[in-house]
Amino acid sequence: MIQKKVCILGATGVGKTSLIRQFVEGSFSEKYLTTIGVKIDKKQVDVDQTSTQLLIWDLEGIDRYCGFNPRYLRGTSAFFVVMDQTRSQSLIEGMEILHMARDHTAVPAIMIINKCDLDSAWHWDADSVNQRASEFDNCFYTSAKTGENVEQMFTEIARLSLG
Amino acid sequence: MNSSLFQALGIIDCAILRYMGRKHFEVIFTKDEWFFDLLPEATGNSKFELAENSAFLNDFLLDAEDFWQKHNTGQIHSGIWTENTANRQLHLEAIAAYAGGERFIVINNMQHEYKEQQKTLQVARELLISNDKIQAQHQYLNDRLSKVLSQNASLLELNLPIQQAIEHASIGVIITDQKFKPITFNPASWSIFELDPQSADTTPLAIVTDMFDDQFPEIERLKAHRSSWSGDLYWHYPPRYHKWLQCEIHPVMDEGLGLKHWVITLADVTRIKYLLQTNEDLALHDSLTGLPNRQYFWQTLEQSIRAEEHFFVMYVDIDKFKNINELHGHLTGDSMLISVSKRIKKRLQRSDFLARIGADEFAIVIKPSPDIELEPGSDILDRVTDIAAVLREDSRSPHFTERDERCNLPLRIGIASYPADASTTEAIMKAADLALHAAKLFSQDPIQFYSSDLKTASEARLRLESQLREAIAKEQLQVYLQPIYDLSSGRIVKAEALLRWFPTKDSSIGPDVFIPIAEQTGLIYPLGKWVITKVCELLTVFKQHNINIKLAMNVSPRQVSDRHLFEFIKSTAERLGVDAHKLELELTEGVLVDNYNKAQKLLNSLREMGVTIAIDDFGTGYSSLSYLKHLPIDHLKIDRSLISDIDTNEDDRAIVLAILAMATQLRLKVIAEGVETMEQQEFLKQHRCASAQGFYYAKPMPLESFIAFMK
């Protein structure tokens, strides 16, 4: 079976770990628990009758306490940048993270706008989101809580990682 | 190796593997079962080949092999990772080490460290997220309100979505007139203070004003200078209520930069403060730099005053730090703040107290200390002066981002002394703040000590600022014209438009006084637009009088950063039917170096339109000349300070000759400023300087005189 490494990046508290948990275990917890370091999960995805095992590298949220470590992107076939639609600052930080990652890799990138089960911040500017989405290979509005588009985002990254 | 030795050494929860080459290892030490859960291939064998059970470890091995190849001493760490094995969840860290000519991988079980780290970061990150949300609300409301209020004649004209946003906002919003008299309160501003608007005997604004008087004495200066502020205030209403409020205050200006309103936003951050109190370290320290925070600083100041100690307060500000966030992003901005704080700390002694008291502001309390030996004959004041000079000097060296981009973060410093300058906490902070404000105003003198003269000067400057505002609004300034001569033909080929201000019939204020004030207060925008319009109008008058010359005008650094500048020049020229080829813009070197990208865009657009560009005051400030090659520049104007002593000073002469030679090579024409004697003119002519202006030919004059002069 083909094995592909993919990374999930984003600011603190946007729901990276919850998205993986929903995808791998089908569960969700309301309690926010910060990730330290790296955690790797595996799950098989079928794309066009090709079975691919995704090695999903869940990276600690990038913020003032944890800088961006490009070493973890080595060998990745594609990556997600996750943003939280209830917090507009996570959009700005997500774009900064994309640009930092782009200094090290040209592999496909997917924009994830998470927590779409909640009301978007009333200052969340849809136009600027759409404009920024054009810098990615694809964009999904997801909810780790309801599972909306979670399966789809991982299937899409598997497809993109197969080239 | 003897496992009891490892245990005796306290190395008890790790696995040590000797590297045998290409994924082959020998187990030197391991105690717990977790290791075999992680790498089952090692079970029962002291020597084993690393399989694919741990993707992270396999990946780290690439770094380890690279490290072993390049180094024969030291170690590298993988950072913590989490591994789910069949029996348990592990939190581990790997170390690649080189010791005694052999290569090792040590895998540490970090269960305990992980939990500790998670506990601390959990609180810190919850705070970060809560803060983010509040900040975003403040910013959004303030941005939208400023935009709408600056355009609308009255609050009644606020459009419905904005009105609804204010009404339903979870943060308190207060809008006042220019004199801080309340105009409107939203429901949240009342509920924050547990007030019923129908029956309350006070208002949210009255409470905020009282809190400011007690807790933020700098407010009066901020109001006088129409500056913004954000910070935390504590509201205590015994016995029932006590809350921490995050407050932001922003002035709203109209298009002519007259003050129209103040917008105050308030958010209840008591929960955040409570979270902070669960961790004493976070409560009194700034989470970014690890330095004491404003609250801790305030406490230290109060203690020092109670102890009646003699001390100095140094208020340190990073010049134009906002640009760093805008240019490089907030993550880089944060790392630059850490870098600045480390640099400052390195220069201080243990007895000095350094705190971060604002976004880009630091404060230092410096006291005499028996631990610090002073030079013979010197005292604490000398030490304070030395520290300020060293900090300033250090700040001239650039900081570098992770991408190796250069960031210049010069410091400005205001200093006040207790008890000489003030006798209370509030007063000493006001004094240091006033000194810092002076340091920000005088670019030549970035370190300022508080003095009563400074206070008087500050008041005088405020009066001047207000006069200038009025003069601009009433168009009381005048444009004078100074001819520029072609040195080979002796003909006038151009004129420079120069601003003059005569507040009364018999008095004048020089542009060297009012232009910096206009720059610092933002008045330069309406003033600059007025000058552009005036210059275009003058060109139409020239046309009527058959005066066929170019007209040059100066553009200030702040104008260049205005993204609407080009559009304004273009539309004004078109509206008044002015041929763009008759316009010339003069910029200083500093603008090009500090604001290269914006200047490049502007200059290229202007060139396309037909406007020519001259570099003003050339030869005085910067040595970075690479911009001359890359930007569409037509003329260099040699600064008057180099021309004035050209007859007597060999150095000045050498510089002028070098500029002329360089300009020839770069095909740029040179204009000499401040020519006052025939000798200076002859020297310049002899060395093929193209043009000159100065009192030798004519002083700047009003339009009517200029027209007569031309005829």
Side-chain angles (χ1 to χ4, degrees), chain B residues 300 303-312 365 367-368 418-419:
Chain B
T300 305
Q303 277 164 12
S304 304
I305 287 176
R306 270 201 302 274
E308 296 187 348
E309 292 171 313
H310 172 209
F311 64 87
F312 283 83
V365 178
K367 302 173 190 172
Y418 175 87

Side-chain angles (χ1 to χ4, degrees), chain B residues 581-617:
Chain B
H581 293 89
K582 290 276 184 270
L583 277 172
E584 183 159 292
L585 248 60
E586 295 188 6
L587 297 91
T588 57
E589 288 176 84
V591 178
L592 303 179
V593 178
D594 293 343
N595 213 346
Y596 183 84
N597 291 337
K598 277 188 181 158
Q600 186 185 35
K601 204 173 156 201
L602 173 70
L603 265 48
N604 284 332
S605 306
L606 288 168
R607 164 64 62 90
E608 217 168 278
M609 186 184 155
V611 178
T612 51
I613 305 294
I615 303 302
D616 206 5
D617 304 340

Side-chain angles (χ1 to χ4, degrees), chain B residues 172-174 184-205 207 235 243 266:
Chain B
V173 181
I174 302 170
T184 188
F185 301 97
N186 76 338
S189 67
W190 294 94
S191 59
I192 275 179
F193 295 110
E194 312 288 343
L195 295 172
D196 176 356
Q198 308 305 322
S199 58
D201 56 358
T202 183
T203 68
L205 183 64
I207 299 175
W235 177 57
K243 288 183 182 181
L266 297 155

Side-chain angles (χ1 to χ4, degrees), chain B residues 316-319 339-340 343-344 347 387-400 406-413 439 442-447 594 621-622:
Chain B
V316 182
D317 178 82
I318 306 174
D319 213 6
S339 178
V340 169
R343 234 186 234 185
I344 297 176
R347 294 296 187 179
I387 291 174
V390 168
L391 294 182
R392 169 67 189 176
E393 196 51 42
D394 281 353
S395 76
R396 286 176 195 271
S397 311
H399 296 250
F400 289 92
R406 197 185 162 98
C407 287
N408 290 315
L409 301 169
L411 300 181
R412 297 197 174 266
I413 301 170
F442 308 121
S443 55
Q444 304 306 322
D445 221 348
I447 301 170
D594 293 343
Y622 291 78

Side-chain angles (χ1 to χ4, degrees), chain B residues 384-566:
Chain B
V384 169
T385 311
D386 289 348
I387 291 174
V390 168
L391 294 182
R392 169 67 189 176
E393 196 51 42
D394 281 353
S395 76
R396 286 176 195 271
S397 311
H399 296 250
F400 289 92
T401 69
E402 276 186 10
R403 293 181 186 183
D404 222 22
E405 290 160 320
R406 197 185 162 98
C407 287
N408 290 315
L409 301 169
L411 300 181
R412 297 197 174 266
I413 301 170
I415 304 167
S417 133
Y418 175 87
D421 296 332
S423 57
T424 64
T425 322
E426 290 78 12
I428 190 87
M429 278 310 286
K430 267 188 183 173
D433 177 60
L434 191 72
L436 175 63
H437 187 66
K440 286 183 187 173
L441 291 181
F442 308 121
S443 55
Q444 304 306 322
D445 221 348
I447 301 170
Q448 292 282 333
F449 280 85
Y450 173 82
S451 68
S452 51
D453 289 350
L454 209 61
K455 199 175 171 199
T456 315
S458 167
E459 285 160 2
R461 192 182 170 284
L462 268 178
R463 279 196 298 276
L464 194 61
E465 187 186 315
S466 147
Q467 274 177 288
L468 178 61
R469 205 175 285 280
E470 198 180 318
I472 294 170
K474 293 185 177 166
E475 298 195 5
Q476 288 170 343
L477 285 100
Q478 292 183 40
V479 172
Y480 271 41
L481 300 163
Q482 185 175 39
I484 298 174
Y485 284 75
D486 179 280
L487 283 174
S488 54
S489 67
R491 289 169 54 192
I492 297 171
V493 286
K494 210 181 318 189
E496 182 179 356
L498 296 157
L499 259 183
R500 293 292 180 263
W501 181 19
F502 303 101
T504 62
K505 241 182 183 179
D506 309 318
S507 68
S508 73
I509 295 172
D512 53 328
V513 176
F514 70 81
I515 294 290
I517 293 178
E519 270 275 300
Q520 286 147 10
T521 52
L523 286 169
I524 199 73
Y525 297 125
L527 183 57
K529 282 182 177 173
W530 180 79
V531 172
I532 292 164
T533 312
K534 204 76 195 164
V535 162
C536 288
E537 284 170 2
L538 289 175
L539 279 169
T540 60
V541 177
F542 282 8
K543 204 172 169 185
Q544 288 159 14
H545 289 84
N546 290 323
I547 300 171
N548 191 24
I549 59 169
K550 268 177 177 281
L551 194 46
M553 62 180 146
N554 292 276
V555 178
S556 84
R558 208 154 164 185
Q559 274 178 284
V560 171
S561 63
D562 176 6
R563 60 198 163 91
H564 301 300
L565 178 64
F566 173 71

Side-chain angles (χ1 to χ4, degrees), chain B residues 137-149 250:
Chain B
Q137 287 188 21
H138 276 296
Q139 203 179 337
Y140 174 84
L141 266 178
N142 279 313
D143 288 353
R144 294 295 300 268
L145 276 173
S146 294
K147 205 171 161 192
V148 176
L149 288 175
H250 293 277

